[in-house]
Amino acid sequence: MSDVKKVVLAYSGGLDTSIIIPWLKENYGCEVIAYAADIGQGEELDPLNEKAIKTGASKIYIEDLRKEFLEDFCFPMMQAGAIYERQYMLGTSIARPLIAKRQVEIALKEGADAVAHGATGKGNDQVRFELTFQALAPHLKVIAPWREWNIRSREDAVEYAKERDIPVPVTVKKPYSMDRNFWHLSFEGGVLENPWNEPPADMFILTVNPEDAPDKPEYVEIEFEAGVPKAVNGKAMDAIALVTELNAIAGRNGVGRVDLVENRLVGMKSRGVYETPGGTLLYAAHRELLSLVCERETLHYRNLLAEKYAELVYNGQWFTTIRRSMDAFIQESEQYVTGLVRLKLYKGNCYPAGRKSPHSLYQEAYATFGADEVYNQKDAEGFIRLFGLPNKIESMIRKAK
């Protein structure tokens, strides 16, 4: 262990990383530099500077990555339509490659020998962090304390912290694990580990209970330019302001909750509860606009890629050739995703209420059930005859035998 002189730790100030600083110093005898990425946690970051130093870090980096997080990670993922197992909008998954990328950059700048993270040996985050480390700086040693120490539970971790007078935002009685950023808020652990248990009503932070949402629907209009959201209700906004506004609008209408039993990459199933209010609106609006401007074959192929893209994000394979190649295809087909979508929000539900685009491929003259001058309905007869010819031939031969 003596070969490690300096390590950069991905630091959140939560239970795990709070005890990792003293553990690294006690077990590796190395200098520890803490690093916290601001990707929209809000007030959670306020006490980190003092806390990291008090627990043994030689210095701490706290960096604002919110703009990069939304523009370079969340928005491309949304454009791809990536939703893991049809429900999870990947708020934690998409954040880890960005955090790990900047962690590597700081490690190289500081001349560190190693990088460390607080992900457990049961979780997905260990893979997401370490695949990024391998892709960007394979020579750095990776320290994952949960795979080394004799701490085996949240209760053990809380006790370890108490013995060293380290304040942590988790107790044995209420051991929720929360992960918050601009895109979402996730909950796991404690009472949620039993999938039969309904999430406590007071647990949610970003969204009101749908039953308590306003009794009248609220409409919101989202404008896109080449697939990128640019305005809400006619007001142009940058990425941070736009997602902040959509989080507020969706949140007060109870939109964006997901309760999911998902398949972890490491093999077991786990239960997570997620709040993704603004992201839910963006996915819905983008999907509606895409249906208007994207021709059939490209749209259907994009739908096939969406599932694969979601798996790549979930599995931490962001810095890979396949993801970059998929992005190139998706970006090519995003060039006409420009227009306006109106959504209707009501008590936890989100409905499309209108969509329009200067690049719309929808032509009423062709689609109308009324009289038209552009479509000869007799053409369908020959089309159906040829389209069904393989089935017809097979049926004739099988029946003859």
Side-chain angles (χ1 to χ4, degrees), residues 258-294:
V258 166
D259 186 340
L260 171 67
V261 175
E262 68 196 56
N263 289 289
R264 285 186 181 175
L265 176 61
V266 294
M268 78 282 287
K269 291 183 182 291
S270 66
R271 195 266 190 97
V273 178
Y274 305 101
E275 294 181 275
T276 317
T280 298
L281 302 189
L282 286 173
Y283 267 90
H286 182 269
R287 182 172 59 246
E288 293 304 317
L289 193 55
L290 194 64
S291 72
L292 200 63
V293 304
C294 192

Side-chain angles (χ1 to χ4, degrees), residues 123-288:
N124 300 302
D125 279 346
Q126 59 180 334
V127 182
R128 296 163 184 157
F129 273 106
E130 294 181 36
L131 289 188
T132 302
F133 298 154
Q134 290 177 10
L136 303 182
H139 67 283
L140 289 175
K141 179 179 176 61
V142 177
I143 302 175
W146 272 101
R147 303 202 298 254
E148 296 184 27
W149 59 23
N150 56 8
I151 294 173
R152 289 292 174 263
S153 66
R154 292 288 164 89
E155 291 80 5
D156 289 347
V158 170
E159 186 61 31
Y160 185 96
K162 287 181 177 178
E163 290 173 357
R164 290 157 180 79
D165 295 321
I166 301 172
V168 291
V170 177
T171 64
V172 173
K173 189 173 290 187
K174 187 180 179 180
Y176 294 137
S177 174
M178 296 194 303
D179 181 80
R180 182 174 185 174
N181 59 46
F182 252 125
W183 200 245
H184 89 158
L185 175 58
S186 69
F187 306 87
E188 63 180 1
V191 67
L192 300 177
E193 290 183 351
N194 184 342
W196 182 252
N197 291 336
E198 184 176 7
D202 62 354
M203 183 183 75
F204 296 94
I205 296 174
L206 303 181
T207 58
V208 303
N209 189 326
E211 297 172 4
D212 300 325
D215 293 329
K216 290 185 177 181
E218 180 175 358
Y219 290 85
V220 58
E221 294 185 353
I222 304 175
E223 187 173 350
F224 291 82
E225 183 178 320
V228 179
K230 294 291 186 179
V232 175
N233 292 329
K235 183 178 179 181
M237 300 179 181
D238 63 21
I240 294 174
L242 184 141
V243 174
T244 299
E245 179 68 10
L246 291 180
N247 278 338
I249 293 172
R252 63 176 173 253
N253 287 282
V255 173
R257 294 185 179 186
V258 166
D259 186 340
L260 171 67
V261 175
E262 68 196 56
N263 289 289
R264 285 186 181 175
L265 176 61
V266 294
M268 78 282 287
K269 291 183 182 291
S270 66
R271 195 266 190 97
V273 178
Y274 305 101
E275 294 181 275
T276 317
T280 298
L281 302 189
L282 286 173
Y283 267 90
H286 182 269
R287 182 172 59 246
E288 293 304 317

Side-chain angles (χ1 to χ4, degrees), residues 62-73:
I62 301 178
E63 298 190 338
D64 186 350
L65 304 182
R66 296 175 299 167
K67 185 174 183 291
E68 183 179 1
F69 176 54
L70 293 175
E71 294 181 349
D72 297 345
F73 289 78

Side-chain angles (χ1 to χ4, degrees), residues 16-31:
D16 296 340
T17 58
S18 293
I19 64 175
I20 285 175
I21 293 177
W23 183 87
L24 285 170
K25 294 175 71 67
E26 292 169 13
N27 291 271
Y28 279 82
C30 60
E31 177 185 354

Side-chain angles (χ1 to χ4, degrees), residues 4-58:
V4 176
K5 305 299 183 185
K6 186 186 296 186
V7 59
V8 176
L9 168 68
Y11 181 72
S12 68
L15 173 60
D16 296 340
T17 58
S18 293
I19 64 175
I20 285 175
I21 293 177
W23 183 87
L24 285 170
K25 294 175 71 67
E26 292 169 13
N27 291 271
Y28 279 82
C30 60
E31 177 185 354
V32 180
I33 297 174
Y35 149 67
D38 180 0
I39 49 176
Q41 302 95 309
E43 67 280 357
E44 294 178 16
L45 294 169
D46 294 342
L48 295 195
N49 191 28
E50 180 180 359
K51 185 176 181 181
I53 302 302
K54 277 188 174 182
T55 52
S58 61

Side-chain angles (χ1 to χ4, degrees), residues 310-331:
E311 289 181 355
L312 292 176
V313 174
Y314 189 82
N315 295 343
Q317 296 171 294
W318 185 260
F319 293 103
T320 56
T321 299
I322 185 171
R323 198 275 305 171
R324 290 190 294 270
S325 301
M326 290 172 68
D327 263 351
F329 170 78
I330 291 165
Q331 291 307 309

